[in-house]
Amino acid sequence: MQRYVCSLVGKAAKSKGLNKKWFQKQELYWNGRSYKRDSKEYQLLLNRAFNRLYDNEGFRKALMATKGASLEHSKGKNKITETVLTKREFCSRLIHLRDKGKLPES
């Protein structure tokens, strides 16, 4: 099921997770492992995911085309207890990748 959900994009992907109550326990799961939302391990998991995106040449070229531009996310949330990826977590990772290269994974 996880592989199937990861293949979805846009509204289909978003709607698949709408009824999940991960926020009650503040735990998220990836590849059979539980991650506390506010843990360093979860942040490193996000870094690994963004680094894999950066490995994609098309993604990297599109990101580099934003050089000098401000990156913002108008739809996201700010509280980690309410979202799996805050505005800050999202934008700061993109900016780091664009300006400095890969994120630390450990």
Side-chain angles (χ1 to χ4, degrees):
M1 177 59 87
Q2 187 175 59
R3 286 177 195 228
Y4 167 70
V5 172
C6 287
S7 73
L8 300 174
V9 295
K11 288 182 182 180
K14 184 171 182 168
S15 67
K16 198 67 174 164
L18 283 179
N19 295 322
K20 304 302 177 203
K21 305 286 187 212
W22 69 270
F23 52 86
Q24 292 173 337
K25 289 174 62 178
Q26 291 295 301
E27 290 180 343
L28 296 133
Y29 297 88
W30 180 250
N31 285 338
R33 181 172 170 202
S34 170
Y35 292 87
K36 291 299 262 180
R37 176 61 180 92
D38 64 350
S39 69
K40 179 179 179 178
E41 291 79 17
Y42 183 71
Q43 294 301 313
L44 293 173
L45 176 67
L46 292 178
N47 285 358
R48 288 193 304 273
F50 275 78
N51 282 342
R52 297 304 77 79
L53 282 172
Y54 189 74
D55 289 341
N56 178 286
E57 185 178 349
F59 173 85
R60 197 170 49 254
K61 282 182 178 180
L63 183 61
M64 293 308 168
T66 70
K67 195 76 164 171
S70 173
L71 298 179
E72 298 178 19
H73 183 26
S74 62
K75 302 281 185 194
K77 296 181 180 183
N78 294 315
K79 292 183 179 181
I80 67 167
T81 56
E82 297 176 354
T83 185
V84 298
L85 187 65
T86 65
K87 291 179 183 184
R88 184 172 188 269
E89 289 169 328
F90 179 65
C91 292
S92 67
R93 281 176 171 82
L94 291 177
I95 292 165
H96 181 101
L97 290 172
R98 180 187 69 188
D99 298 345
K100 299 178 182 171
K102 290 203 171 185
L103 296 152
E105 294 188 19
S106 61

